[in-house]
Amino acid sequence: MSRIGKLPINIPAGVTVAINGTEVKVKGPKGELVQNVNPDIKVEMDGNTLHVSRPSNDKEHRALHGLYRALIHNMVVGVSEGYKKELELVGVGYRAANNGQVLELSLGYSHNIYLKLPKEIKVETKSERNKNPLILLESCDKQLIGQVCAKIRTFRKPEPYKGKGIKFVGEVLRRKSGKSAGAK
């Protein structure tokens, strides 16, 4: 049995779950999310818990069992608590500003980068003196917020020599020594 798939999903107060055939709808104070489930996988509600089960021990069924349990659990956590990501811009002259859902990034290129974010994501930028600028993202959809963070990060990935670029707050980068460190 799948270690993740067999765990029950507890539904907190204020969250409603509707199972309609192969569609699972989760609604809570932070928003509403929908997930289509493979017809072979069964999702059953028992009071305040959800149980995900599979029909057989086939390799495909075992893989889908844990996958859909994790996706539904992420939906329940997202609509009740939400997900937050913080990105830090490390580099001289790197700036970030937002105007509504449009994020403006100045990353040392000859032009500024404008990125229109989906309406499901709340964005906030912080720029304090003598500190690196921060981009704060918040959403109920874990997959969407991760995808947007990855897109923002592609504009300037952290480089291993000086550590400049866009990185997550608290992320530890492996630093390399330059070519002068090895020569003697």
Side-chain angles (χ1 to χ4, degrees):
M1 192 92 192
S2 168
R3 290 184 193 171
I4 295 192
K6 69 181 176 182
L7 295 173
I9 302 168
N10 294 322
I11 301 168
V15 175
T16 58
V17 177
I19 302 166
N20 185 10
T22 61
E23 187 178 78
V24 178
K25 262 188 192 178
V26 181
K27 191 173 185 178
K30 299 271 186 181
E32 181 178 344
L33 296 172
V34 178
Q35 175 68 48
N36 285 319
V37 180
N38 189 303
D40 293 343
I41 304 298
K42 301 278 183 275
V43 181
E44 296 153 350
M45 187 140 175
D46 181 31
N48 268 359
T49 58
L50 282 174
H51 296 282
V52 180
S53 59
R54 63 176 187 242
S56 70
N57 244 0
D58 292 345
K59 189 173 184 175
E60 183 183 358
H61 287 157
R62 289 195 316 252
L64 292 176
H65 187 207
L67 168 76
Y68 285 118
R69 190 266 175 205
L71 289 176
I72 294 169
H73 180 262
N74 288 342
M75 289 167 46
V76 169
V77 171
V79 298
S80 61
E81 300 167 21
Y83 291 101
K84 293 178 184 170
K85 297 272 188 181
E86 293 183 4
L87 295 166
E88 182 179 14
L89 281 64
V90 180
V92 177
Y94 288 7
R95 290 188 304 278
N98 69 306
N99 186 5
Q101 290 298 101
V102 177
L103 184 64
E104 180 184 355
L105 299 168
S106 176
L107 300 173
Y109 295 117
S110 61
H111 58 284
N112 289 348
I113 298 169
Y114 296 92
L115 180 66
K116 186 166 181 359
L117 299 174
K119 64 181 183 306
E120 294 89 5
I121 292 185
K122 294 183 185 106
V123 63
E124 183 185 341
T125 55
K126 285 186 181 177
S127 296
E128 294 180 22
R129 194 172 173 94
N130 296 330
K131 288 190 179 177
N132 293 328
L134 293 175
I135 302 170
L136 308 167
L137 300 170
E138 190 175 340
S139 177
C140 65
D141 193 346
K142 187 175 185 178
Q143 182 270 332
L144 182 66
I145 197 170
Q147 187 176 358
V148 169
C149 285
K151 177 68 176 169
I152 292 171
R153 202 178 146 100
T154 60
F155 296 132
R156 257 307 180 205
K157 283 194 175 168
E159 56 99 17
Y161 296 102
K162 294 182 182 175
K164 290 170 59 172
I166 302 174
K167 66 178 194 122
F168 291 103
V169 171
E171 179 182 10
V172 178
L173 299 173
R174 270 190 69 207
R175 300 292 293 269
K176 292 182 177 179
S177 57
K179 61 182 181 181
S180 62
K184 282 195 174 184

